[in-house]
Amino acid sequence: MTRELGPYYACEECFGPLEVAYDYPKLTRAEIEAGPPNMWRYAKLLPVPSDIAQRPTTEPGYTRLIRADNLAHALGMRRLWVKDDRDNPTHSFKDRVVAVALAAALEMGFKVLACPSTGNLANAVAAAAARAGIRSMVLVPADLEQQKIITTAVYGGTFVLVDGNYDDVNRLASELAGEHEDWAFVNVNVRPYYAEGSKTLGFEIAEQLGWRLPDQVVVPIASGAQLTKVDKGFRELASLAWSRTPAGGCSGPRRPAAHRCRRRSRPATTWSSRSARPRSPSRWPSATRRDGPYVLDAVRRTGGVIADVSDEEIVDSIRLLASTEGIFAETAGGVTLGVLRKLLSAGQLDPGAETVIINSGDGLKTLDAVAGALPGLVTVRPTLESFREAGVE
C-alpha cells in the first residue's frame, strides 16, 4: 500500500516497515561532488528539506574509506577497504540515521527527539537534539556501560535508566510514543526516515571508489536496516546510471540479538559477487523481526551468505584490525572482520575481489570487550639498567 508522508512506520495491512519512495530529481555526479563534505551532499536523494545543509545539525557522514593494505596482506587478499564510521560526530554510524530522523521530525512538528537505546543511538540523539536546540528523551537499560551513560548524559536532555533489558526499554518507548504525540522516537514513529540515513554509507562507498561498487561488502546486521538500506543505496545509484550493480550478495552473523546481551557478538552481513547461497536463520532477534525478511531478500537476491562468529573471534578481530591498520573498532566491527575471515577460510568470499568492510563505531565505547585480552604490559624503573633487564629492546 502507499500513503502520504507522515509519522507512519508500519503498513496497516501486513504490519511490515514502510519505505520512503522518491521521484528522482535530475542530479549529476558533479553536483554531488560540489556539495558539503558530509552526508548532506546527497540531500536530493534523502527525505530532508532542500536547505538541510544550512540548518543546525551535527553534519555527519562522508567518513574515510581507508585502503587497508596491511590487513589485506595478513588475510591474503588483493584489495581491501575499511569504511570507518568512527569519524562521525558521536563516533558511530547512528549519527547518519538520527540526522535524517531529526529533519523529518522537525518538518512534522515534533518537539522532542527520543529513542530507546543501548548506547550509540543514545549518544547520537542527545547530541543532535542539543545542536538543533530541542529537547531529547533517551531511555536505556540501567546496567548500560558507564562510558555510554556519560557520553550521552553530557549533552543534557532527559536521560532515563530503565530497570530491564533492551526489549523492556523498547516496549516502554513504543508505549510512550503512543502517549505523547509531539515526541519523535527516531527508531519507532519516524523509523522510515531514520532508516534512510544508512543509504549514505552506500552512496559514499561508491563515490569514494570513483562511482563504482566493490565486488564484496561486509555489512553488520543489527535491526537489519543498515544492510537493506546500503543495498537500496546501491540500487538507487544504479537506477541513476552512476554505477554498475554488483553481481553478488551479502553475508554476516545470524546470532539472535538476545545473545548480544549475555555475549558480545552482534549481527553483520556482506555483499559478494561469488558468495554461496545464504543459510536461513533459525530465529531472528526482536529488533530484527521488522527487517529480517528484507535482509533475507537482499542476501538471496544478490547471492550472498549469512554467518556468525564467536566472542573469541570478535575480540581477536578487533585486535587484528587495530594492530594492522590503527583502527580500534567496536564489537560490531569485530564481528564484521571476523565474518570476513571466516568466509575467506571457507572459500565463500573471493580473496582476489575488491572488498569493503564497514566499521560502524569506535572501540572506546566497548572497552570491556577487549580489556581482558590485551598483551602483558611491562613496567620498568626510570633507568637504562631496568629497561635492559626487562628484555624489551
Side-chain angles (χ1 to χ4, degrees), residues 73-322:
H73 179 74
L75 299 177
M77 300 185 71
R78 183 183 67 84
R79 182 66 56 81
L80 179 63
W81 304 83
V82 178
K83 181 59 173 170
D84 191 12
D85 252 23
R86 296 178 306 159
D87 294 345
N88 279 307
T90 67
H91 310 290
S92 88
F93 87 97
K94 293 294 187 182
D95 289 311
R96 299 174 181 272
V97 291
V98 167
V100 177
L102 173 60
L106 293 176
E107 288 294 292
M108 290 184 280
F110 288 100
K111 304 300 182 185
V112 177
L113 194 69
C115 74
S117 176
T118 57
N120 284 337
L121 184 57
N123 295 169
V125 164
R131 173 72 177 134
I134 68 170
R135 180 187 171 197
S136 64
M137 168 66 69
V138 172
L139 299 92
V140 303
D143 62 353
L144 188 66
E145 296 97 325
Q146 189 66 20
Q147 60 262 33
K148 291 182 179 179
I149 293 175
I150 293 170
T151 52
T152 296
V154 70
Y155 295 110
T158 303
F159 190 86
V160 179
L161 300 174
V162 179
D163 186 13
N165 60 29
Y166 179 69
D167 284 342
D168 298 321
V169 177
N170 200 44
R171 182 170 55 254
L172 176 59
S174 297
E175 293 171 355
L176 288 170
E179 290 286 326
H180 299 272
E181 294 185 355
D182 62 347
W183 290 13
F185 279 85
V186 296
N187 50 349
V188 183
N189 51 355
V190 291
R191 181 180 172 83
Y193 312 96
Y194 160 92
E196 288 290 286
S198 287
K199 291 194 311 183
T200 58
L201 277 164
F203 295 158
E204 289 174 21
I205 289 170
E207 182 180 355
Q208 290 168 324
L209 287 177
W211 296 109
R212 60 184 174 81
L213 302 184
D215 299 308
Q216 304 174 153
V217 182
V218 187
V219 184
I221 304 171
S223 69
Q226 185 179 98
L227 166 63
T228 58
K229 296 305 179 180
V230 169
D231 171 53
K232 184 178 181 182
F234 286 164
R235 288 185 288 113
E236 287 182 349
L237 292 182
S239 73
L240 292 168
W242 289 356
S243 65
R244 62 179 178 83
T245 54
C250 310
S251 120
R254 60 185 176 90
R255 177 177 290 148
H259 290 208
R260 189 175 59 193
C261 298
R262 63 182 173 83
R263 300 175 66 93
R264 291 251 172 220
S265 62
R266 292 203 176 136
T269 199
T270 309
W271 284 83
S272 162
S273 60
R274 298 173 180 84
S275 303
R277 292 181 62 83
R279 296 173 289 164
S280 297
S282 57
R283 57 195 177 103
W284 288 93
S286 58
T288 310
R289 289 173 193 145
R290 190 175 295 163
D291 287 288
Y294 306 99
V295 169
L296 287 176
D297 175 69
V299 171
R300 288 167 175 154
R301 173 168 39 79
T302 57
V305 293
I306 295 176
D308 65 354
V309 287
S310 68
D311 291 354
E312 292 75 18
E313 290 171 308
I314 293 168
V315 173
D316 186 61
S317 293
I318 291 172
R319 292 181 58 186
L320 178 62
L321 182 57

Side-chain angles (χ1 to χ4, degrees), residues 29-42 53 62 207:
R29 297 176 185 176
E31 288 178 84
I32 286 180
E33 291 166 354
N38 54 59
M39 65 184 285
W40 302 136
R41 65 201 288 117
Y42 310 109
Y62 214 67
E207 182 180 355

